[in-house]
Amino acid sequence: MSTQRSLRIEPLGRTVPVEEGRTLLEAALAQGIKLRSSCRNGTCRECLARIVEGSVRYRVEWPGLSPDEKAEGCTLPCVALPQTDVVLLQPRLEVPG
Ligand code: FES
């Protein structure tokens, strides 16, 4: 049985399932939630968001975050794999016009 986590996106207030091996970005997009993204490999920082609750690990060894940003809870959802249920703060959603 695979482990499934949940991702809540604030201030949108939506919760989506995250299947094992999926990033936060992939899980959101799979449910039609357009989190900002560009490179999807942890370098451009377009997807930068903040973790309010929970923890993640990274698909790449050194995602484009400074130690200070990591300490503040910043994350790059395109390469972040949840280790627990996660609450993500991302006010800059691409809401269809
Ligand atoms: S999309 Fe480029 S760092 Fe996440």
Side-chain angles (χ1 to χ4, degrees):
M1 204 175 95
S2 69
T3 312
Q4 187 171 287
R5 309 287 185 194
S6 74
L7 164 64
R8 193 165 92 225
I9 300 163
E10 298 291 359
L12 185 65
R14 290 263 315 266
T15 301
V16 301
V18 190
E19 286 165 28
E20 193 167 3
R22 269 201 165 165
T23 64
L24 301 181
L25 176 68
E26 289 165 346
L29 292 176
Q31 299 298 317
I33 300 170
K34 293 194 173 166
L35 291 184
R36 283 171 176 259
S37 67
S38 181
C39 72
R40 300 192 183 183
N41 63 21
T43 56
C44 77
R45 297 167 52 92
E46 178 65 20
C47 62
L48 188 71
R50 185 182 296 252
I51 292 175
V52 183
E53 268 179 52
S55 65
V56 298
R57 65 188 171 85
Y58 289 100
R59 224 179 219 181
V60 296
E61 199 166 317
W62 185 246
L65 290 169
S66 70
D68 281 354
E69 287 171 328
K70 279 190 175 176
E72 288 169 8
C74 292
T75 189
L76 296 173
C78 68
V79 286
L81 304 164
Q83 291 190 297
T84 63
D85 291 350
V86 168
V87 179
L88 190 72
L89 184 64
Q90 176 49 287
R92 301 180 310 142
L93 283 179
E94 284 178 8
V95 180

